[in-house]
């Protein structure tokens, strides 16, 4: 299932664009800085020129576009919702040695159910929120149902970028069953069918059948469609390694962790039975050791693992309450199915105001001003806990785990340093929605306080499972460069997001490298779940994985600060 790359002269931009328009239609080939800006600029970091943005409307079109681009000697970057936080789904500058073609796959939204929804086959543009809604009538859930599902992130993006998710029992997004194309060392493009479904041999026939949902019954096989080991893995609180992190060799497999180094057309994934009954416990303490004890006791002693356990520090709470208020209210009023459209509209307006010389933060300033006119949005009991305690843990339990947690926490609290309450359904929803709002609050703070803020240094780190001292203490010379510190994360997995709002005039790159040195001394791994993008240096095992997947260095080159040149020519001074 290969197509041979031509050895003729380089194809001109004009000729390539004619070919692309013939494949996908004129309206879906975008050129020029104005038309391509929202695709070629990252949501938080990254950006660069592209020869064109191409939006295929079928898997066969995507296949043909890929083959034309590789034959023409172009760099190809695949992108879905462009929600990545490390610049990994856009160009990063212009130094690629070849023109860049960006293929946006959001038109390819298909979701097909297998075995009455026990598994799904998702196409490249299928979003987490759409999958969640498709499964809900069946009493089932996808891997992730919180966080990025609210802003339109794609299912395949989670698989390709090692996304972690907040649900403790499910671990990182992972599958060994995918349909993807690879660019081989001789420049040929090959379609690889590891879906575990007999779809024939011809690439275009396979792709058309998958898109149409013409899928045979799955055969027997040992490939996994999720991380079956994670629940036992995360319980090992004496292990001196993290539970999950981006470069973990355990979960680098073909499409999983590929970061755009292969062209993924479809993935086959497990779904999960939804909890019929859940309860949320809001825990506050001024002693982080109390939260450490709760984590270790529950992971080692509970029969039923928590569904989710989200940590938030008081300063992050306060920033989210003020600068994430509009996000919180929009999701509560509109629901997750509409919020992605709001973010898309915001991106268009930001591009317009920037062209008009009004800056790219006008919508942020307007939204912030309007949100301040609205009344307090957080429940009173939550606010009272914020006033009393520095550290907060929102714990969601399901089924028999509810009584297990209720009994345990009743014995544990109140203590000299902390307390807890069992939330009403409205309070529980508010707690987790407030935790989600933290993620975008630092961006809003930066936009509103641009005169005082240089930028944001955003880290997501995985601490060792046996770490007891998880609260960061920064040296004075580093702390003095920071205006605000936002600490939040997936507490039971020991994965933390650390967003630093940096003072104006600070060298953010030097500060980030100083942070890395501190994390290295603590035995942490980073990034934990957002992929290396262009911000982080890929660990040797991850860089080697990328080279195996993409020997010509044609697909998303430069990820993990690796070579951007053809055939990895400037990597270690020698070609592979």
């Amino acid at each position: 299932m290969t197509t041979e790359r031509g050895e003729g002269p380089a194809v001109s931009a004009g000729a390539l664009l004619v070919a692309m328009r013939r494949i996908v239609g004129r309206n879906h080939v975008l050129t020029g800085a104005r038309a391509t800006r929202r695709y070629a600029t990252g949501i938080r970091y990254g950006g660069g020129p592209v020869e064109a943005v191409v939006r295929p409307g079928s898997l066969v079109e995507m296949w043909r576009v890929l083959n034309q681009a590789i034959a023409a000697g172009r760099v190809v970057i695949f992108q879905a919702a462009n929600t990545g936080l490390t610049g990994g789904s856009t160009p990063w500058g212009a130094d690629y040695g070849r023109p860049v073609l960006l293929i946006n796959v959001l038109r390819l939204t298909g979701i097909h159910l297998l075995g009455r929804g026990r598994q799904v086959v998702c196409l490249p543009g299928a979003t987490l929120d759409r999958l969640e809604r498709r499964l809900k009538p069946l009493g089932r859930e996808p891997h992730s149902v919180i966080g990025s599902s609210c802003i339109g992130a794609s299912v395949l993006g989670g698989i390709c970028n090692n996304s972690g998710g907040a649900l403790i029992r499910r671990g990182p997004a992972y599958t060994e069953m995918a349909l993807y194309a690879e660019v081989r060392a001789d420049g040929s493009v090959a379609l690889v069918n590891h879906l575990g479904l007999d779809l024939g041999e011809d690439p275009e026939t396979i792709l058309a059948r998958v898109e149409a949902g013409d899928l045979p019954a799955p055969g027997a096989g040992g490939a996994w469609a999720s991380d079956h080991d994670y629940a036992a893995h995360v319980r090992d609180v004496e292990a001196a390694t993290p539970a999950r992190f981006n470069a973990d060799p355990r979960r680098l497999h073909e499409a999983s962790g590929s970061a755009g180094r292969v062209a993924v057309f479809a993935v086959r994934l497990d779904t999960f039975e939804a909890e019929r009954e859940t309860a949320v416990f809001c825990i506050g303490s001024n002693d982080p050791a109390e939260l450490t004890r709760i984590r270790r006791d529950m992971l080692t002693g509970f029969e039923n693992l928590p569904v989710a356990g989200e940590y938030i520090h008081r300063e992050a709470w306060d920033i989210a309450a003020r600068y994430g208020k509009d996000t919180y209210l929009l999701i509560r009023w509109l629901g997750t199915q509409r919020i992605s459209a709001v973010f898309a509209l915001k991106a268009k307006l930001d591009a317009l105001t920037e062209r008009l010389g009004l800056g790219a933060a006008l919508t942020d300033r307007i939204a912030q001003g309007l949100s301040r006119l609205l009344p307090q949005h957080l429940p009173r009991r939550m606010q009272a806990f914020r006033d009393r305690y520095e550290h907060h843990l929102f714990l969601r339990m399901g089924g028999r785990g509810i009584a297990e947690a209720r009994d345990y926490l009743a014995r544990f609290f109140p203590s000299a340093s902390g307390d807890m309450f069992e939330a009403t359904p409205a309070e529980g929803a508010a707690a987790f929605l407030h935790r989600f709002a933290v993620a975008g609050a630092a961006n809003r703070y930066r936009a509103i306080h641009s005169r005082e803020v240089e930028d944001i240094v955003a880290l997501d780190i995985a601490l060792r499972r046996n770490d007891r001292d998880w609260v960061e203490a920064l040296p004075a010379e580093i702390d003095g460069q920071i205006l605000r510190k936002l600490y939040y994360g997936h507490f039971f997995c020991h994965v933390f997001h650390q967003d630093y709002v940096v003072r104006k005039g600070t060298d953010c790159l030097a500060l980030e490298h100083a942070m890395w040195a501190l994390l290295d001394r603590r035995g942490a791994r980073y990034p934990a779940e957002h992929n290396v993008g262009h911000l982080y240096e890929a660990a040797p095992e991850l860089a080697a994985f990328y080279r195996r997947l993409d020997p010509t260095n044609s697909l998303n080159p430069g990820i993990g600060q690796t070579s951007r040149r053809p055939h990895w020519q400037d990597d270690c001074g020698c070609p592979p």
Side-chain angles (χ1 to χ4, degrees):
M1 290 184 277
T2 64
T3 62
E4 295 300 325
R5 175 176 171 176
E7 295 299 329
V11 177
S12 70
L16 183 61
L17 292 177
V18 168
M20 294 298 166
R21 290 170 182 139
R22 188 178 300 120
I23 295 170
V24 304
R26 177 173 295 275
N27 291 338
H28 297 294
V29 179
L30 309 179
T31 59
R34 178 178 298 185
T36 61
R37 179 191 182 280
R38 61 176 292 210
Y39 301 95
T41 303
I43 189 173
R44 191 180 264 185
Y45 300 106
V50 296
E51 190 170 49
V53 173
V54 182
R55 303 184 298 189
S58 70
L59 294 183
V60 170
E61 286 183 3
M62 179 177 160
W63 166 256
R64 292 174 178 173
V65 167
L66 172 65
N67 276 274
Q68 288 279 352
I70 295 302
R74 268 43 172 189
V75 162
V76 175
I77 297 175
F78 287 95
Q79 177 194 88
N82 192 16
T83 60
L85 299 181
T86 57
S89 56
T90 65
W92 190 269
D95 185 22
Y96 285 89
R98 299 150 286 173
V100 175
L101 191 81
L102 194 154
I103 301 177
N104 183 277
V105 297
L106 276 186
R107 296 176 67 202
L108 309 175
T109 60
I111 296 171
H112 306 302
L113 305 181
L114 297 176
R116 298 181 180 179
R118 293 183 179 275
Q119 290 188 327
V120 291
V121 171
C122 294
L123 304 194
T127 58
L128 285 167
D129 65 284
R130 185 167 180 265
L131 177 58
E132 185 178 345
R133 285 184 277 120
R134 182 77 182 274
L135 292 173
K136 189 172 183 178
L138 305 176
R140 301 193 71 80
E141 294 177 338
H143 167 267
S144 180
V145 297
I146 180 179
S148 55
S149 61
C150 296
I151 56 173
S154 68
V155 177
L156 266 69
I159 293 295
C160 295
N161 292 313
N162 305 96
S163 295
L167 302 181
I168 296 166
R169 308 169 194 173
R170 301 178 191 176
Y174 179 74
T175 188
E176 296 167 1
M177 293 192 253
L179 176 65
Y180 64 93
E182 59 186 9
V183 181
R184 293 181 171 169
D186 63 357
S188 63
V189 179
L191 187 69
V192 180
N193 176 17
H194 286 169
L195 287 174
L197 305 172
D198 186 0
L199 297 164
E201 294 295 324
D202 175 65
E204 294 199 0
T205 299
I206 292 171
L207 295 167
R209 289 187 64 182
V210 169
E211 182 153 18
D214 178 17
L215 306 176
W224 288 2
S226 63
D227 186 349
H228 297 182
D229 285 341
Y230 190 75
H233 183 71
V234 75
R235 283 185 181 272
D236 186 2
V237 298
E238 300 303 334
T241 57
R244 54 181 171 89
F245 59 99
N246 185 258
D248 187 352
R250 295 171 57 253
R251 295 297 171 258
L252 297 177
H253 184 86
E254 297 176 349
S256 294
S258 61
R261 292 296 195 163
V262 293
V264 186
F265 292 88
V267 293
R268 179 175 161 190
L269 303 169
D270 289 331
T271 68
F272 304 86
E273 186 175 359
E275 292 283 359
R276 297 182 180 180
E277 181 185 10
T278 62
V280 172
F281 300 88
C282 295
I283 300 166
S285 181
N286 291 315
D287 181 3
E290 288 192 330
L291 300 190
T292 298
R293 180 179 164 192
I294 291 170
R295 172 183 174 269
R296 293 174 66 89
D297 286 350
M298 288 189 170
L299 288 178
T300 59
F302 270 40
E303 180 182 351
N304 304 280
L305 280 176
V307 175
E310 293 295 291
Y311 168 77
I312 179 172
H313 184 268
R314 180 189 279 158
E315 186 169 13
W317 179 303
D318 291 346
I319 295 295
R322 182 168 181 178
Y323 297 95
K325 184 177 181 179
D326 59 312
T327 299
Y328 175 106
L329 292 172
L330 281 171
I331 295 173
R332 194 176 75 180
W333 293 338
L334 300 180
T336 60
Q337 66 270 26
R338 295 185 180 92
I339 197 66
S340 58
V342 174
F343 276 86
L345 176 60
K346 180 184 182 300
K348 290 181 180 179
L349 291 175
D350 289 342
L352 175 62
T353 58
E354 188 175 40
R355 288 200 306 271
L356 295 175
L358 301 174
L362 183 59
T363 59
D364 286 294
R365 294 182 182 278
I366 293 172
Q368 187 62 29
L370 292 174
S371 70
R372 294 183 67 177
L373 300 176
L374 298 172
Q376 172 59 250
H377 59 295
L378 296 176
R380 290 183 180 179
R381 281 205 293 180
M382 285 178 60
Q383 279 296 92
F385 256 48
R386 176 263 166 227
D387 295 340
R388 292 167 59 191
Y389 303 116
E390 180 181 0
H391 305 283
H392 298 270
L393 177 63
F394 301 142
L395 179 68
R396 188 186 299 279
M397 302 297 298
R400 290 179 298 177
I402 297 172
E404 198 172 11
R406 187 179 290 141
D407 292 344
Y408 170 83
L409 293 172
R411 295 192 304 272
F412 198 101
F413 292 114
S415 69
S417 299
D419 205 349
M420 72 92 186
F421 66 88
E422 185 170 345
T424 65
E427 288 171 332
F432 278 87
L433 187 49
H434 182 55
R435 157 61 185 88
F436 167 68
V438 179
N443 286 343
R444 172 63 56 76
Y445 188 98
R446 174 179 60 183
I448 300 300
H449 299 280
S450 57
R451 293 182 180 179
E452 299 90 42
V453 176
E454 182 67 30
D455 208 339
I456 297 167
V457 171
L459 303 178
D460 65 296
I461 69 167
L463 297 182
R464 296 169 297 195
R465 283 169 283 171
N466 65 352
D467 278 328
R468 294 175 183 264
D469 298 324
W470 49 273
V471 177
E472 182 176 68
L474 292 175
E477 63 272 17
I478 290 180
D479 196 59
Q481 302 176 63
I482 298 169
L483 288 169
R484 299 282 189 174
K485 298 186 288 288
L486 281 67
Y487 296 114
Y488 55 103
H490 315 306
F491 188 65
F492 286 79
C493 300
H494 252 198
V495 167
F496 293 89
H497 301 286
Q498 302 180 174
D499 293 348
Y500 306 95
V501 182
V502 180
R503 292 183 185 277
K504 199 74 171 180
T506 299
D507 184 338
C508 290
L509 184 60
L511 177 63
E512 184 166 11
H513 288 176
M515 295 283 194
W516 292 354
L518 295 176
L519 293 172
D520 291 341
R521 288 198 289 271
R522 295 173 67 189
R525 298 297 299 263
Y526 51 89
E529 60 181 9
H530 285 158
N531 203 278
V532 290
H534 289 279
L535 292 183
Y536 297 92
E537 182 178 351
E541 58 269 32
L542 184 60
F545 176 62
Y546 292 159
R547 285 175 64 110
R548 291 195 300 272
L549 291 179
D550 184 19
T552 68
N553 208 21
S554 298
L555 304 180
N556 214 4
I559 287 291
Q561 300 181 15
T562 58
S563 169
R564 302 188 194 187
R565 314 302 295 179
H567 297 276
W568 303 80
Q569 289 169 353
D570 61 355
D571 187 55
C572 301
C574 57

